[in-house]
Amino acid sequence: LHPGENRLLAAAMKGTGAQVLHEDGLAMLIARTPPDPRRGLALIDPSFEVKADYDRLPKLIAAVHRKWPVGVILLWYPVLTSGQHAQMLEALEARNLPGALRHELRFPPARPGHGMVGSGLFAINAPWGLAEEAARLAAASRTAATSAPAMPVGTAASQVERTITIEEEPKAEAPAEEPKAEETKDKETQAKET
């Protein structure tokens, strides 16, 4: 994390009780695993500006899992036209980690020649229901993509996301509140007086 970004993050988190450390997050993950209590989630969102991260992450995630077998580990990664992410995913899948789930969302490049064309999530010990929800979102994404007009190259990802609408189930109406005993007595008294 760049020093300026670290200062902004620390300022944004002030008063939340969160601890902001200016360290290598991947090294810190290994050093602080397993956490206490042992149940928890680690979100790994590397910059991928360091190209060695693609080779380093499968080994690191396997090491974290060995030290913390009950932990939910989520890795965010870019889907690239170069396919650079593919070897990393093959290495992760070859480790046969429990509860592994891979989900990707594709979108047009932000500008001509831009190499990122999607976003992915690789989960270890995926929480209950995540696979079903990912499948539902994938279906909604495919439906939106086939029913939406073609997106020209250069369409921002946020514009693509706006074309994906997920219908919520209708909310049940809240039950009417029972009248309080005092209100009931007042109404009875008024009825007797008239």
Side-chain angles (χ1 to χ4, degrees), residues 88-172:
M88 176 187 71
L89 294 171
E90 287 172 16
L92 280 167
E93 290 169 350
R95 294 181 182 274
N96 294 318
L97 296 165
L101 172 73
R102 176 178 162 188
H103 179 73
E104 293 181 351
L105 175 65
R106 305 278 175 136
F107 44 79
R111 61 187 175 282
H114 191 244
M116 186 172 159
V117 292
S119 197
L121 187 69
F122 194 95
I124 314 310
N125 289 328
W128 181 86
L130 183 60
E132 292 79 11
E133 188 62 17
R136 188 179 75 78
L137 291 171
S141 174
R142 282 191 299 276
T143 301
T146 58
S147 63
M151 298 285 181
V153 171
T155 302
S158 60
Q159 291 173 298
V160 175
E161 290 168 355
R162 281 195 293 263
T163 65
I164 299 171
T165 56
I166 297 168
E167 295 180 23
E168 293 182 15
E169 292 182 26
K171 293 181 182 174

Side-chain angles (χ1 to χ4, degrees), residues 59 79 82 99 143 147 171 185-186:
K59 295 173 202 140
V79 176
S82 69
T143 301
S147 63
K171 293 181 182 174
K185 284 184 183 177
D186 287 345

Side-chain angles (χ1 to χ4, degrees), residues 1 11 13 25-26 28 31 34-35 68 95 100 133 140 150 158 161 186 194:
L1 190 63
M13 300 306 290
L26 299 177
M28 188 171 51
W68 188 30
R95 294 181 182 274
E133 188 62 17
S158 60
E161 290 168 355
D186 287 345
T194 53

Side-chain angles (χ1 to χ4, degrees), residues 19-94:
Q19 186 179 15
V20 177
L21 304 171
H22 190 228
E23 298 178 25
D24 177 334
L26 299 177
M28 188 171 51
L29 178 60
I30 286 286
R32 293 177 180 252
T33 300
D36 185 27
R38 293 182 65 84
R39 303 280 303 169
L41 177 141
L43 173 62
I44 303 170
D45 180 4
S47 69
F48 288 108
E49 291 170 357
V50 178
K51 301 305 176 206
D53 282 352
Y54 290 99
D55 294 327
R56 180 180 177 201
L57 282 165
K59 295 173 202 140
L60 179 123
I61 289 171
V64 168
H65 175 69
R66 274 192 304 279
K67 289 177 71 176
W68 188 30
V70 297
V72 176
I73 304 166
L74 297 175
L75 168 66
W76 175 88
Y77 61 91
V79 176
L80 304 169
T81 55
S82 69
Q84 193 166 11
H85 62 288
Q87 273 188 312
M88 176 187 71
L89 294 171
E90 287 172 16
L92 280 167
E93 290 169 350

